[in-house]
Amino acid sequence: MNSTSSRPQLNLARWLGYAALALFAIISLGPIWIAVKTALSDSRTLFSGASSFLPRDPTLFNLQRVLGIANPADPRLAQMSYGKIDFLRALVNSAIFTILAVGPQIAFSAMAAYAFARLRFPGRRSIFFLFLCATMIPGIVIYIPNFILIKDLGWLNTYQGMAAPYALMTPFAVFFLRQMFLSTPRELEECARVDGASYISIFFRIVLPFHRSALATLTIIASLSAWNDFFWPFLVGRSESVRVMAVAINAFRQQQAGGTPDWSGLMACTVLGIVPIFLLLVLFGRKVVESFQYAGPK
Amino acid sequence: MRVSKWISNTLYSIKRRGFTPHSKPKRSSIIHKLFPWPTAAVPSAMSDRKLSPTLSAPRVIPREPTRRSLFRALFYKDSVCAWIFIAPALIGFTVFYLAPCLRAIFISLTDWNLLRPPKLVGFDNYARLWTDAKFWNAMRITLLYVLYNIPIQTVVGLLLAGLLDRLGRSVVLRSIILAPYLIANVIAAILWFWMLDPLLGFINALLQSMGVERISFFSDQHLALPTIAAVNIWRHMGFVALLFYTGMQGIPRSLYEAAQIEGAGPWRSFWNITLPLLRPTLVFVLVTSIIGSFQIFDTIAVTTLGGPVDSTRTIVWYIYESSFEYYKMGYGSAMSCALFVSLTVVTIVQMRILRSGQSELG
């Protein structure tokens, strides 16, 4: 009888819960949708259509003009005083930066992680402890000396200058992969040793293939953080030829700090910066979600 | 804890599918000549050694060891091989983490504008910092920001995680919730800067249609900092919720059932079961998000630039201004070292208070 009296109440709670979840989903995606809407609207309708959910007179013009592929004869180009930006360049730069920063980082971090997890050598514990401590350092502490180093090397406004601090290792990558390597049985590797395989062969032929899921997780996390990185590229890569997506958006916004910003252009850039992430979520949603879910508390 | 569950799942799936290396080496391949890994010795069921008893016996003895003696010396000995493996990472660590850290301390003892050589001034920078009202104001604003950001973010994250745990476990829902965290800080900032624009923004248009005055969120001295905190709560709440959700998945269902039989409602089982058992996750989330929150920079760089009237000049923004706009490298480094020390203290205190090492489950 207890169950019959509490059931309607339970159902109500359940529906309230679903409503709350729906509300969270709307809060999460709503602003992104508004950006898409703005990017697709003619900039003359921004005021009249401010509170609408759908673009008025949808057009791809904004996306085309920030990418620099709008028809030069288009009368709209002359009508409005748009900000100047070559966002295609910025997207290409972001892709180059991401590849340069993430590719070698994972290779070298995996090698180091394997050594920390499986090989015995003097100084192993103390070096690993130092690596661990490095995860605690606030970015700004090392950005100042690193900026001076990159400047002295003449690497300001170059891809190598932006990628260098990430390319050889990041403490997180080494730590994460070491945990992964440690948490699997070592029997297989020992068998290979007994059968006469060298460590390098074991690493490439057993460890890496075996841990490809962990490597994919790390690739996703590291690529997203490189794609979204702002502070460090902002310090060393501000020139238009190398600046990445986030730096370009910031520059585009500061360009018009005085007057009304070119909102439709800014939102077009924003949408283009989100597209790769959206594609990643659509193609590998489960893997992405689980990467972030399980890589957190170690 | 969760990772180990994931690993065991992975292991289980490998056990089912059998362990297959990506490419089977051909006898003639160069790789095979270099790395004499016997093809036959790759076990088909790695997790069960009983299935292949030959594995434990050294069936294939490496051929012609003398010809590859240098190779053997390099890649068969633990200590030598280990140094080869960690060399690139160690170089990267030394050049871009360890040396800069020590150099930052040295720079903080100098007066240096990058044009002239650095001049040693001892602890002058620290003395100046101690009496710099702007520095203390920046610290105060940063602390205020953390106080706006962290409690709300944590509570909202817990609430959302509870809902996910009870009602919706679909991957689609989880990806939607995580989406804001995956987009760049700069993009989140510009997105909300647009949404909250006093003239054309969506939120203000909504407010006006409801008969409320338009609010200039980012240019109001009292609203700017809470608004920036709100933007970052929006960006992080899904991620935090996902971490809590993962922690909740590890709590045995039987505990809830037992509590229900004892007559405990959902509220009581949350306080007496979920929260205590979630402590390791809670500690991790709090420690990392507080460290991150203290270093708020990107959102401010895009929206308010420290204004209006210094109301959003947080410590990292102030360090950035001193070092990279006024080129006071020494003073900037002194402040960043001070930030490092205070963050370390905050973290240690937190660990003490939250007794991170212990878990109720043992």
Side-chain angles (χ1 to χ4, degrees), chain A residues 27-28 35 38 120-121 139 145-146 180 192-193 195-196 199 205 228 234 238 253-254 263 277 286 293-294 296, chain B residues 3 25 37 41 60 75-76 78 82 96 100 160 171 174 182 191 194 200 202 234 246 284 295 301-303 320:
Chain A
I27 292 173
S28 293
T38 313
R120 241 168 271 151
F121 58 98
N146 276 347
M180 290 294 133
R193 280 290 291 166
D195 281 343
Y199 281 122
R205 307 275 284 279
N228 291 336
F234 175 64
R238 283 194 211 195
R253 132 107 182 101
Q254 305 303 344
W263 286 117
I277 295 161
R286 179 177 291 272
Q293 210 172 325
Y294 294 107
Chain B
V3 172
W37 167 243
V60 181
F75 293 110
Y76 282 78
D78 262 37
F96 292 109
L160 184 50
V171 173
R174 273 183 283 157
L182 301 181
L191 212 61
W194 163 232
L200 303 170
F202 181 77
W234 174 76
T246 315
F284 172 83
Q295 299 178 54
V302 178
T303 56
Y320 163 78

Side-chain angles (χ1 to χ4, degrees), chain B residues 37-359:
Chain B
W37 167 243
T39 6
V42 175
S44 53
M46 51 73 58
S47 46
D48 198 345
R49 288 178 67 180
K50 277 178 221 154
L51 285 179
S52 46
T54 47
L55 269 181
S56 47
R59 207 171 41 144
V60 181
I61 295 152
R63 288 149 299 172
E64 309 160 56
T66 43
R67 256 178 60 188
R68 285 187 300 269
S69 54
L70 179 67
F71 180 82
R72 285 194 68 84
L74 287 181
F75 293 110
Y76 282 78
K77 251 188 89 114
D78 262 37
S79 53
V80 183
C81 193
W83 289 109
I84 295 173
F85 268 80
I86 64 167
L90 198 59
I91 292 170
F93 177 74
T94 313
V95 175
F96 292 109
Y97 291 89
L98 186 62
C101 234
L102 302 175
R103 199 174 175 197
I105 299 171
F106 171 74
I107 295 172
S108 76
L109 304 176
T110 65
D111 182 12
W112 194 14
N113 61 3
L114 289 183
L115 296 174
R116 284 184 296 277
K119 195 176 83 196
L120 259 179
V121 293
F123 288 91
D124 277 13
N125 284 322
Y126 291 96
R128 192 171 133 209
L129 177 157
W130 191 254
T131 53
D132 182 0
K134 273 184 166 178
F135 169 79
W136 291 109
N137 188 49
M139 279 298 209
R140 188 183 62 85
I141 285 168
T142 310
L143 201 64
L144 203 59
Y145 170 79
V146 174
L147 289 178
Y148 285 139
N149 185 354
I150 297 299
I152 300 180
Q153 182 175 301
T154 313
V155 170
V156 171
L158 272 174
L159 181 70
L160 184 50
L163 288 171
L164 281 175
D165 188 45
R166 269 158 198 266
L167 300 173
R169 299 186 177 180
S170 83
V171 173
V172 176
L173 190 56
R174 273 183 283 157
S175 358
I176 291 173
I177 300 288
L178 186 65
Y181 183 72
L182 301 181
I183 68 178
N185 268 325
V186 169
I187 288 184
I190 203 78
L191 212 61
W192 279 98
F193 201 52
W194 163 232
M195 295 271 292
L196 298 173
D197 184 75
L199 265 179
L200 303 170
F202 181 77
I203 298 283
N204 268 314
L206 274 191
L207 285 179
Q208 204 186 29
S209 69
M210 289 188 296
V212 184
E213 284 273 306
R214 286 169 181 273
I215 304 169
S216 29
F217 291 93
F218 282 103
S219 41
D220 183 302
Q221 199 183 330
H222 303 288
L223 281 179
L225 195 66
T227 305
I228 288 171
V231 172
N232 283 298
I233 290 169
W234 174 76
R235 186 169 172 266
H236 284 92
M237 65 180 186
F239 178 57
V240 168
L242 210 58
L243 294 179
F244 286 142
Y245 166 78
T246 315
M248 286 175 185
Q249 297 275 290
I251 298 171
R253 298 283 131 178
S254 54
L255 288 176
Y256 291 112
E257 282 155 22
Q260 207 174 11
I261 289 165
E262 300 285 324
W267 193 241
R268 274 205 59 182
S269 51
F270 176 79
W271 277 107
N272 294 330
I273 300 173
T274 313
L275 218 48
L277 291 182
L278 208 57
R279 205 172 60 200
T281 316
L282 201 65
V283 172
F284 172 83
V285 169
L286 278 177
V287 168
T288 51
S289 58
I290 287 178
I291 289 177
S293 188
F294 263 98
Q295 299 178 54
I296 171 80
F297 175 82
D298 297 5
T299 320
I300 291 164
V302 178
T303 56
T304 60
L305 302 161
V309 211
D310 290 355
S311 63
T312 60
R313 186 194 268 136
T314 58
I315 184 66
V316 175
W317 179 260
Y318 187 41
I319 296 173
Y320 163 78
E321 270 185 339
S322 311
S323 314
F324 296 100
E325 279 176 15
Y326 302 106
Y327 292 99
K328 292 188 277 191
M329 292 295 162
Y331 193 49
S333 290
M335 284 194 287
S336 64
C337 289
L339 174 68
F340 190 9
V341 171
S342 20
L343 270 184
T344 312
V345 171
V346 166
T347 306
I348 291 171
V349 168
Q350 267 186 91
M351 296 288 212
R352 281 280 160 81
I353 293 175
L354 296 163
R355 292 168 294 147
S356 65
Q358 302 155 30
S359 162

